[in-house]
């Protein structure tokens, strides 16, 4: 989305507006390791991108992807779990004892990370960094929403009666966009004349302050 990733620096506060899954380069994983980018608005309205590092949730995603479609997967057990698996065969144990955790297969990866770390969009967080690893803690005292820069737009085109729009033959009639309360109306003069539109009557809502 064009924002640089922040991995170090002093403590900062931000209002979470979005999150997106992505991959980061890693010499041990040619395809990259899974991570999630979190986007925060600061008090000065600048946007900061904070990226999480790989954790146990990533391992869950890798197992899910590897086993999809009936693919086989070899798992090597180490430590106490490995020693126990050598002493006790799977048939002698209750299968329920082998269950470490239960996850929903259809929950997207970035939502799983947010759920496990109790991170929610639309809340304020304090962000600190330790060796490049971010830590986000919820700020209970800050309840008022941030003031983001919002862009909205609407495009109107011609179309045949009872038909969907067809980009091959239909023409754009009007483009209306608004950024942070300032708007602009663009018209196709081959179709819409100046007398056809009264700008003073164009308002998204009565309660909204806007200027065209």
């Amino acid at each position: 989305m064009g924002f640089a990733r922040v991995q170090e620096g002093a403590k900062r506060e931000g209002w979470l507006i979005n999150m997106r899954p992505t991959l980061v380069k890693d010499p041990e994983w040619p395809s990259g390791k899974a991570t999630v980018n979190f986007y925060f608005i600061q008090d000065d309205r600048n946007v900061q991108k904070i990226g999480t590092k790989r954790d146990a949730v990533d391992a869950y995603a890798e197992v899910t992807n590897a086993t999809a479609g009936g693919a086989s997967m070899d798992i090597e057990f180490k430590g106490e779990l490995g020693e126990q698996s050598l002493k006790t065969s799977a048939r002698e144990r209750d299968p329920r004892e082998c269950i470490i955790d239960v996850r929903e297969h259809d929950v997207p990866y970035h939502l799983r990370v947010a759920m496990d770390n109790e991170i929610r969009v639309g809340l304020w967080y304090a962000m600190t960094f330790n060796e490049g690893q971010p830590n986000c803690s919820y700020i209970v005292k800050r309840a008022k929403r941030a003031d983001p820069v919002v862009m909205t737009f609407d495009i109107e085109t011609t179309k045949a009666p009872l038909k969907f729009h067809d980009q091959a033959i239909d023409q754009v009639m009007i483009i209306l966009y608004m950024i942070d309360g300032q708007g602009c109306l663009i018209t196709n003069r081959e179709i819409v004349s100046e007398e056809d539109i009264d700008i003073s009557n164009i308002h998204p809502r009565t309660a909204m302050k806007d200027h065209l």
Side-chain angles (χ1 to χ4, degrees), residues 96-154:
R96 291 174 294 183
E97 298 178 2
C98 302
I99 299 176
I100 300 175
D101 197 0
V102 178
R103 304 289 179 89
E104 300 89 346
H105 176 75
D106 59 345
V107 175
Y109 166 68
H110 63 291
L111 294 183
R112 182 76 260 172
V113 173
M115 291 164 59
D116 288 353
N117 292 277
E118 297 185 355
I119 298 176
R120 304 289 184 268
V121 171
L123 298 178
W124 285 93
Y125 291 89
M127 295 161 281
T128 56
F129 306 90
N130 182 17
E131 297 181 353
Q133 173 66 32
N135 178 58
C136 301
S137 56
Y138 173 46
I139 306 176
V140 181
K141 295 181 179 180
R142 299 199 65 171
K144 185 179 179 180
R145 291 180 53 185
D147 186 22
V149 176
V150 178
M151 175 181 178
T152 61
F153 67 91
D154 182 39

Side-chain angles (χ1 to χ4, degrees), residues 9-208:
K11 178 181 177 181
R12 62 194 71 194
E13 296 182 357
W15 191 69
L16 184 60
I17 58 171
N18 198 6
M19 64 181 76
R20 295 178 63 86
T22 186
L23 293 174
V24 294
K25 295 181 179 180
D26 192 281
E28 298 179 1
W29 297 80
S31 60
K33 286 186 176 181
T35 185
V36 179
N37 287 331
F38 294 93
Y39 298 86
F40 297 88
I41 293 181
Q42 295 182 291
D43 289 312
D44 58 5
R45 304 182 82 181
N46 287 327
V47 177
Q48 299 288 334
K49 179 172 71 174
I50 308 296
T52 62
K53 279 190 173 181
R54 181 178 184 272
D55 53 21
V57 179
D58 299 277
Y60 158 74
E62 290 166 7
V63 171
T64 302
N65 294 333
T67 56
S72 60
M73 183 176 181
D74 295 329
I75 300 177
E76 178 183 358
F77 296 98
K78 297 181 180 180
E80 296 179 359
L81 182 60
E83 296 175 359
Q84 184 178 5
S85 63
L86 294 176
K87 297 177 181 179
T88 307
S89 65
R91 294 182 180 180
E92 297 175 354
R93 299 183 61 189
D94 186 337
R96 291 174 294 183
E97 298 178 2
C98 302
I99 299 176
I100 300 175
D101 197 0
V102 178
R103 304 289 179 89
E104 300 89 346
H105 176 75
D106 59 345
V107 175
Y109 166 68
H110 63 291
L111 294 183
R112 182 76 260 172
V113 173
M115 291 164 59
D116 288 353
N117 292 277
E118 297 185 355
I119 298 176
R120 304 289 184 268
V121 171
L123 298 178
W124 285 93
Y125 291 89
M127 295 161 281
T128 56
F129 306 90
N130 182 17
E131 297 181 353
Q133 173 66 32
N135 178 58
C136 301
S137 56
Y138 173 46
I139 306 176
V140 181
K141 295 181 179 180
R142 299 199 65 171
K144 185 179 179 180
R145 291 180 53 185
D147 186 22
V149 176
V150 178
M151 175 181 178
T152 61
F153 67 91
D154 182 39
I155 301 176
E156 299 292 342
T157 70
T158 60
K159 74 178 189 67
L162 304 179
K163 298 289 185 179
F164 288 105
H165 301 283
D166 187 345
Q167 63 178 358
I169 58 176
D170 292 329
Q171 293 180 285
V172 173
M173 296 190 300
I174 296 174
I175 299 176
L176 173 63
Y177 70 87
M178 185 168 293
I179 303 177
D180 221 19
Q182 297 292 329
C184 182
L185 179 66
I186 304 173
T187 61
N188 183 348
R189 286 298 188 220
E190 295 182 356
I191 302 175
V192 182
S193 66
E194 185 176 357
E195 291 77 18
D196 292 330
I197 296 179
D198 183 2
I199 296 182
S200 61
N201 290 329
I202 302 178
H203 298 282
R205 288 183 183 176
T206 305
M208 294 179 64

